[in-house]
């Protein structure tokens, strides 16, 4: 965390700010985005869609009587609540969907596995992975659509770090003409560090989605493929696929956020990124955007606004209904301040318990680093992180540990790799990498 400047440096701050603003104008060849491509989408609102979904919820709920066995109505209501959550990220909608799916699964005699799978997927969204495992195991025991259950079993296994089990499940469903298989094979290749193969499988899934002409499938694959293109440095392809998403769903917040990231991290235009994010916020209750704004304000040197936004995010993300959904972000924030490092360690241990993956262990190592316990951080990283994940964030945290312990021989090659991740990690982290 950067230190606050002393008053006598006020003149220097003004001078540096002028230099900074001048340097923020990217070279013309680095500009990919065009406001004319997306301005119309920034003025769109999902209020009409939300109103229609609320009407549908009211209809289905009116058919559900207390202690009745209206399973179809419960399922329809749950599906509509889920659609509402997808529109505005209102956690209350996801919780209401959970309640109705649980009731439907309890009451169902036929098609019980369908409701259990939907409930498991709801729990995955809430980061309640162990509960999702229990539920999807029940669905598998019930029978029904075995392939559908295997795919969700794969999803849960990946979240729980059970990678051998996940691969076995995936191999059972091998079918390169199956959209659901391809997107999970892409996830497996991404975990394995094979980005080219990841993109290839996602592109094949995209072609299937386009042939089927099912909007939801196309939207999902376009946004995820846009992310992968970004990881691969194919920023123009990433931008184009976010735009393709918006042609299908003009209020899609995720695609707009992706464009904001391009303007911020690639084009070095933080003010445009803030303009886009502020346009998104009117349609969503997700705390994510508050945290992104905080980073951008830190980058432009407005540390007070950045800190205020971090506090706002923490207040939102720690609301009881969110459970552990924002645990990883909170660990990062708590670990950045010595006075909250113990809180970061406690929360990171909870993350490891809930989701024992290399990335969760990386959070625990980083929390110990934040406390200044570098030796313990290294022990955790060497046992559970290094060589087990290819995520740049984990590599950056490991590099910080190496730096703190004076392990220059290990730091040098890792820093060289990290210097190639400027777009993915963003300018704030990239500045920290350069100073390692």
């Amino acid at each position: 965390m950067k230190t606050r400047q002393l008053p006598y440096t006020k003149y220097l701050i003004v001078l540096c700010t002028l230099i900074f603003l001048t340097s923020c104008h990217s070279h013309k060849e680095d500009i990919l985005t065009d406001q004319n491509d997306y301005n119309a989408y920034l003025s769109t609102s999902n209020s009409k869609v939300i109103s229609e979904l609320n009407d549908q919820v009211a209809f289905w709920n009116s058919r559900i009587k207390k202690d009745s066995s209206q399973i179809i109505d419960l399922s329809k209501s749950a599906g509509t609540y889920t659609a509402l959550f997808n529109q505005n990220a209102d956690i209350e909608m996801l919780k209401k969907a959970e309640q109705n799916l649980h009731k439907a699964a309890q009451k169902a005699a036929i098609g019980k596995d369908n409701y259990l799978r939907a409930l498991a997927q709801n729990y995955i969204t809430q980061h309640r992975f162990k509960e999702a495992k229990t539920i999807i195991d029940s669905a598998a025991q019930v029978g029904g659509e075995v392939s559908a259950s295997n795919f969700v079993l794969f999803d849960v296994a990946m979240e729980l770090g059970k990678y051998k089990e996940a691969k076995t499940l995936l191999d059972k469903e091998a079918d390169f003409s199956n959209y659901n298989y391809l997107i999970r094979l892409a996830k497996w290749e991404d975990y394995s560090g094979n980005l080219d193969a990841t993109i290839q499988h996602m592109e094949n899934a995209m072609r299937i989605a386009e042939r089927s002409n099912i909007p939801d499938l196309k939207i999902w694959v376009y946004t995820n493929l846009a992310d992968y293109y970004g990881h691969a440095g194919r920023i123009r392809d990433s931008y184009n696929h976010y735009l393709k998403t918006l042609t299908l769903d003009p209020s899609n917040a995720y695609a707009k956020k992706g464009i904001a990231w391009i303007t911020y991290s690639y084009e070095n235009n933080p003010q445009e990124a803030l303009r886009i994010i502020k346009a998104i916020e009117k349609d969503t209750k997700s705390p994510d955007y508050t945290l992104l704004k905080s980073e951008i304000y830190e980058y432009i040197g407005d540390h007070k606004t950045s800190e205020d936004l971090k506090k706002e995010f923490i207040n939102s993300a720690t609301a009881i209904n969110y459970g552990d959904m924002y645990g990883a972000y909170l660990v990062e924030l708590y670990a950045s301040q010595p006075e909250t490092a113990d809180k970061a360690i406690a929360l990171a241990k909870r993350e490891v318990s809930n989701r024992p993956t290399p990335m969760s262990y990386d959070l625990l190592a980083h929390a110990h680093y934040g406390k200044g316990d570098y030796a313990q951080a290294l022990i955790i990283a060497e046992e559970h992180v290094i060589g087990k994940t290819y995520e740049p964030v984990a590599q950056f945290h490991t590099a910080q540990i190496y730096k703190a312990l004076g392990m220059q021989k290990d730091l040098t090659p890792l820093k060289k790799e990290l210097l190639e991740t400027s777009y993915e990690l963003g300018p704030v982290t990239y500045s920290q990498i350069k100073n390692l």
Side-chain angles (χ1 to χ4, degrees), residues 199-270:
I199 290 173
Q200 180 185 349
H201 297 315
M202 288 294 288
E203 288 174 338
N204 289 337
M206 177 181 66
R207 285 186 273 274
I208 293 172
E210 289 175 337
R211 286 198 298 269
S212 70
N213 202 29
I214 300 174
D216 285 349
L217 295 187
K218 291 195 287 185
I219 289 168
W220 190 94
V221 78
Y222 286 159
T223 51
N224 281 272
L225 190 50
D227 288 348
Y228 286 129
Y229 283 143
H231 298 331
R234 296 169 58 179
I235 314 302
R236 185 176 298 279
D237 288 333
S238 178
Y239 176 59
N240 287 338
H241 280 74
Y242 287 131
L243 290 176
K244 289 175 77 170
T245 301
L246 291 170
T247 61
L248 294 172
D249 179 9
S251 62
N252 191 285
Y254 192 86
K256 294 175 190 177
K257 182 183 179 183
I259 293 172
W261 185 262
I262 292 172
T263 63
Y264 163 58
S265 188
Y266 183 76
E267 296 179 343
N268 204 4
N269 190 350

Side-chain angles (χ1 to χ4, degrees), residues 314-365:
I314 289 171
N315 287 335
S316 299
T318 52
I320 191 167
N321 271 350
Y322 281 119
D324 297 316
M325 288 176 68
Y326 289 97
Y329 297 106
L330 291 167
V331 171
E332 286 270 6
L333 290 174
Y334 292 148
S336 68
Q337 300 289 345
E339 61 269 24
T340 53
D342 285 331
K343 188 181 289 188
I345 291 171
L347 190 53
K349 286 180 178 178
R350 182 176 174 86
E351 284 289 305
V352 168
S353 175
N354 290 341
R355 191 185 200 180
T357 63
M359 289 305 295
S360 292
Y361 279 104
D362 169 65
L363 289 172
L364 182 57

Side-chain angles (χ1 to χ4, degrees), residues 22-306:
T22 303
S23 68
C24 274
H25 295 289
S26 300
H27 297 296
K28 187 174 182 180
E29 60 266 24
D30 292 335
I31 303 298
L32 296 179
T33 64
D34 183 342
Q35 291 183 10
N36 293 322
D37 292 338
Y38 57 81
N39 264 344
Y41 300 123
L42 300 186
S43 61
T44 61
S45 172
N46 59 6
S47 57
K48 182 179 179 182
V49 174
I50 289 173
S51 177
E52 291 171 351
L53 289 170
N54 279 325
D55 288 343
Q56 292 177 37
V57 162
F59 171 76
W60 293 115
N61 286 351
S62 70
R63 294 167 57 93
I64 301 170
K65 308 300 181 185
K66 189 175 181 180
D67 299 325
S68 73
S69 58
Q70 299 293 326
I71 297 171
I72 298 298
D73 299 323
L74 284 165
S75 175
K76 293 287 188 181
S77 175
T80 311
Y81 277 130
T82 301
L84 276 166
F85 173 77
N86 291 336
Q87 282 290 325
N88 62 9
D90 185 348
I91 189 62
E92 292 285 347
M93 301 300 100
L94 198 61
K95 302 298 285 188
K96 288 180 178 179
E98 174 198 340
Q99 292 168 10
N100 284 353
L101 285 169
H102 192 268
K103 290 176 184 176
Q106 281 185 319
K107 296 175 183 294
I110 300 172
K112 190 181 189 75
D113 60 306
N114 292 318
Y115 306 117
L116 290 170
R117 274 193 300 275
L119 182 57
Q121 289 169 321
N122 180 288
Y123 283 157
I124 291 172
T125 303
Q126 294 188 55
H127 287 206
R128 294 162 61 182
F129 303 115
K130 289 184 176 178
E131 291 172 270
K133 170 67 171 168
T134 300
I135 294 297
I136 194 58
D137 281 345
S138 298
Q141 290 170 7
V142 166
E145 298 179 38
V146 175
S147 290
S149 291
N150 279 342
F151 284 134
V152 181
L153 281 165
F154 167 85
D155 296 337
V156 173
M158 290 294 288
E159 298 292 355
L160 291 175
K162 297 181 178 181
Y163 300 118
K164 289 183 180 179
E165 179 182 323
K167 188 63 166 64
T168 299
L169 288 161
L170 190 61
D171 288 344
K172 287 181 181 179
E173 304 302 327
D175 179 356
F176 286 88
S177 66
N178 186 319
Y179 173 92
N180 283 302
Y181 171 71
L182 286 171
I183 62 174
R184 287 168 173 86
L185 181 58
K187 184 174 183 178
W188 174 262
E189 294 291 0
D190 182 46
Y191 154 73
S192 302
N194 301 324
L195 184 55
D196 288 343
T198 298
I199 290 173
Q200 180 185 349
H201 297 315
M202 288 294 288
E203 288 174 338
N204 289 337
M206 177 181 66
R207 285 186 273 274
I208 293 172
E210 289 175 337
R211 286 198 298 269
S212 70
N213 202 29
I214 300 174
D216 285 349
L217 295 187
K218 291 195 287 185
I219 289 168
W220 190 94
V221 78
Y222 286 159
T223 51
N224 281 272
L225 190 50
D227 288 348
Y228 286 129
Y229 283 143
H231 298 331
R234 296 169 58 179
I235 314 302
R236 185 176 298 279
D237 288 333
S238 178
Y239 176 59
N240 287 338
H241 280 74
Y242 287 131
L243 290 176
K244 289 175 77 170
T245 301
L246 291 170
T247 61
L248 294 172
D249 179 9
S251 62
N252 191 285
Y254 192 86
K256 294 175 190 177
K257 182 183 179 183
I259 293 172
W261 185 262
I262 292 172
T263 63
Y264 163 58
S265 188
Y266 183 76
E267 296 179 343
N268 204 4
N269 190 350
Q271 295 300 339
E272 177 63 6
L274 287 171
R275 185 180 79 91
I276 296 170
I277 295 164
K278 289 173 182 177
I280 300 170
E281 287 182 309
K282 69 180 184 297
D283 291 331
T284 181
K285 296 184 179 182
S286 171
D288 296 55
Y289 302 98
T290 303
L291 194 57
L292 179 53
K293 284 194 302 180
S294 172
E295 177 180 337
I296 296 172
Y297 277 111
E298 180 179 351
Y299 176 58
I300 63 178
D302 187 345
H303 301 298
K304 183 182 184 306
T305 300
S306 176

